[in-house]
Amino acid sequence: MFCDGFGMSEVSPLQQSAPWVRLETTDADWDAADPGLLATMFAELVLIRSFEEFVLQLAGEGLIHGPAHSSIGQEGGAVGSALPLVTQDTVNGTHRGHHQFLAKVLTHLAPGGIDPTQPVSPEIREALLRTLAEICGLDRGWSHGRGGSMHLRWDEAGAIGTNAIVGGGVPLAAGSAWAHRHAGTDNVAVTYFGDGASNIGSTLETFNLAAAWRLPLCFFIENNRYAVSTNVSEVTAEDRLSARGPGFGIPSWQVDGMDPLAVYLAMQQALEYMRAGKGATLIEADVYRYFHQNGPFPGSAFRYRTKEEEAQWRARDPIDRVAGHLVRRGILSEDAITEAIDRSRALMAEIGEVLLEPVPDGKPGERRIRPSEWPDPGFVDTGIRGDLSEFDGVRTVDRDTFTGAVQEMKFIDAVAAVMGRRMELDSSVVVLGEDIHRLSGGTNGATKGLKDAHPDRILGTPISENAFTGLAGGMAMDGRFRPVVEFMYADFMWVAADQLFNQIGKARHMFGGDHPVPVVLRSKVAMGTGYGSQHSMDPAGVFSTSAGWRIVAPSTPFDYVGLMNAALTCQDPVLVLEHVDLYASSGEGPVDDYDYCLPVGKAAVRRQGADVTVLTYLAMTSYVLEAAEQVADHIDAEVIDLRWLDRASIDWDTIEASIRKTNNVLIAEQGALGTGYGGWLADEIQRRYFDWLDQPVQRVTGGMASPSISKVLERAAFARAEEAVAGLEAMGVGTDA
Amino acid sequence: MPELLRMPEVAAGATSALLSSWSVPVDAEYASGSVIAVIETDKAVVDMEAEAPGRILRTLVAEGTEVAVGDPIAVTAAPGEQVDDLDAAVAALGAASTAAPAAPASEPDVSPSPAAPAGSGTPAPPTAAAGSGRIFISPIARKRANEAGIDVTAIVGTGPNGRIRRRDVEAAIAAGGTRPAASPSAPAATATPSATEPGFVDIPHTRLRRAIATRLTESVTTAPHFYVKGSARVDRLMELRAEINAGEDVKVSVNDLLVKAMARAHSLVPAMNVIWTEDHVRQFSGVDIAIAVATDTGLVTPVLRGVEALSVTQIARASRDLAERARSGQLRQHELEGGTTSISNLGMYGTEEFTAIINPPHSSILAVGAARPEPVVVGDSIVPATVLRVILSVDHRPVDGAIAAQWMREFTVLLESPGRILA
């Protein structure tokens, strides 16, 4: 009871709705534990410890390129939490994730347990070999060496990928959890992260989102007390990190991570809660990494902690603890314990021989990677995107081959209609975004009628773009659902930038090229609405810098239907650009056929011309056509609506044919120069078609700065027909009559 | 007091001329107005007349020598004037003191006179960036020029920074290509095939060839051309011509009628009867039209004057006279000067249509193709008709497209209502 000095008010304590508890084992727990469970726990701890020791040994020999984030000392949290999981449960983690990955993989490969007195199975040996190869950057690794230590992924085992961005994997795990729940399973997702990631937005946003949507997601905090060298008490007022859970309505457990059985028991309780469909959980396991952030030296060598502190934690080593109980209960002898450790170390040495060889003419004991183990450098850019084989057999038409009836229709109606049609035929399509479930189809009517028809698949989100974008990314990588994210304004991509560009845009390539990321992002361009500097950008230019993304920009209702269907067919992330000017516009669209795809990578020549090729897209297309008619008496402009904007999908055939004809190129876009789209395109054009150009590639763009609120300043800041006319006139092409 | 006789600037802008022959012997007295020398300019042979009575003491250049304008060609004295020491007098005048005739231009070791530094009469080839040697040219323009074998150093670009653009090269191609003028110091080429490099012959430039090259290059590089096409049914014109010729001993050609029609059109659209000068657009009252005449040595364009006032028979007679004298090299310089437009007719070769390069300082030139039978839509039916196609090249500096289009409309209407040509 608090009382203030004036004594007038009545103050009474409030209780958080979600419980926050500390779980500690008793001797009774240890006595009751299944001998097989304890033996398996021991076997996994020892295998992981030996693996990590071997990694540090290779790091010391200079054989690990990049960081080797050792988990030695922290194995108890991972093993204790992974043991009660089934294969279909999913886990991800952060940069220090070897132990989490291996614990999940070992449990997957040995669901019945591992006998520490026996050699490991060939499958486990193979998994250890591939994991080591990945950490060494070798072709044999899970991702052909692209991911390395920080990006370990083996979907089959339920290990959906560790992450080098602190907190970056947390929203992705929420997507996996969403898929578990909405696929009707009782599986769960576990996302491992540390004290450092407990303060970052992605994590905190996801706490809220997962709790709000009751996702079966366990936030597993390995509180090892140090973010590199910064102590947890320096960066948060509440260093009992499990205290955060109840603030978001998440039941939370604090356990001693050096006690694997305590972790196991806490996880059992959390699983019971999650598998019952009650929602997210949080477990904070206090652990300690014996070494520095990376490499084979202790943290005390870097003077941010003491040797005494390290000695205290080492005295509570999880392997010793489990081994002690195994001996105490007579499950394993001391010799068996020692033999198991020796056998595990010998296994790693043997595995190392597969990957390593003595340096020819080198010093005694000097080793190197066997040359045959390296990936082929030619593999460098393979698998940034998919091969589009998903379009095999898909009905693809363009306007000139479309045989269905067409009608004049409102653009926004085509947006809602094609999404409705897809959701009706494909129960995996899920749309999520802010306010899309209310206001009769969101702020612009793009989801009109869809919430009533598909209440479980039109998801109004909290205002946390990073979390719900990442959640969609996780859903896409899971594969059972096909998420469509709506950004109310394109500028919000900066808010979600980590998920869009570090995660979604890179995931396929980073994990080896074979894992699709079929997420669709609908993003509205709103320049001209008076929403000012932070709501008026055209995101095409920024997205075109991210190699994994495809970008479509429909300028007619007919194209919107075909491009949205193509986006929803594609196995890559696709940005579908929308524009407020187009929403309100009318144009040709289908009457009743909402099932066709436009061909991938095909532009549309909207106007034939001889003097100059104008490359444009989205709402600017109609402005450019307007401009072309205004100057038609002396400039014969060819107007190409690019439709597919990304580097991989752009229609070079159409562009080239036009440039060979006109020898002059004008790239016309509405938005600010700095984030503009045309820069890369101009660069590519001058290199591809230098000998066909009669002048530099010219551009029409908005101003330097993002548009302002003031109506006249806003108009001055972006381009429309007037600017296109000026751009055409300035080129000095055409006849001078 | 002896005086130097200098090479006159025979034609405006000429930088040099050929001393073709001396018309009076040394020391022979001549009267004022006597022809004392014959000078060959770009397109004509000009008689050099004495401004005052006198005699030639010494010639300083031999016949057949190319001389820069203003350079001394002879030393003269008044009739009866005694000159004791001619060498000293010549030296005092600052001319070469040698009594020997100057070597012909074809010999490379010609000694330059002090007043005429070597090469002073040779204009620098026009370049996009004069002096720097750097030519700004767009990639496609360079590609086109290479494909067409066009020498880009002779093209002046119309783009930013004088950049040669595609249109500039295409204009040069339309002009038949431009090649760099041969270096004036280069030895004269021989028409004899080289023993070591068979497969081609080098035909030395005639003066006329070089003049054509220079003037037309100047035209396409300084006068921005645009082109207006027109066509007319000329069946009635042909009938009119037959009627005229039935009663005359001078036969009127189609071309004569076209020249008359051009004059009529110029009178109706006076804005076409202009030339561009540095400071103003000069508009003429009378219509002077140059007629392109193909000769064995090349194209010449004598000018018919006051065509608006001439009857077609007079035009026919004057045209024939000019053409005949053009072919025999007998045109006077003044007959090659003036005019605002030209007519070039390749119809006799069956050429359907072509574009022509404007002859400076004209503002236009009409390129005339062959009158050919063609199907023509009249109302709802197709009828046979004799159709003439013309393309007017126009200098955009003094004349805009609408004016040219207006002119073309008047011109083609005249051809289809030929009685009005004679009105």
Side-chain angles (χ1 to χ4, degrees), chain A residues 484-501:
Chain A
V484 178
V485 174
E486 175 183 307
F487 278 177
M488 192 182 285
Y489 289 90
D491 308 65
F492 301 168
M493 66 159 219
W494 298 121
V495 180
D498 176 48
Q499 291 304 318
L500 290 171
F501 303 119

Side-chain angles (χ1 to χ4, degrees), chain A residues 155-177:
Chain A
D155 283 0
E156 197 181 306
I160 58 174
T162 58
N163 209 295
I165 299 295
V166 169
V170 177
L172 298 172
S176 180

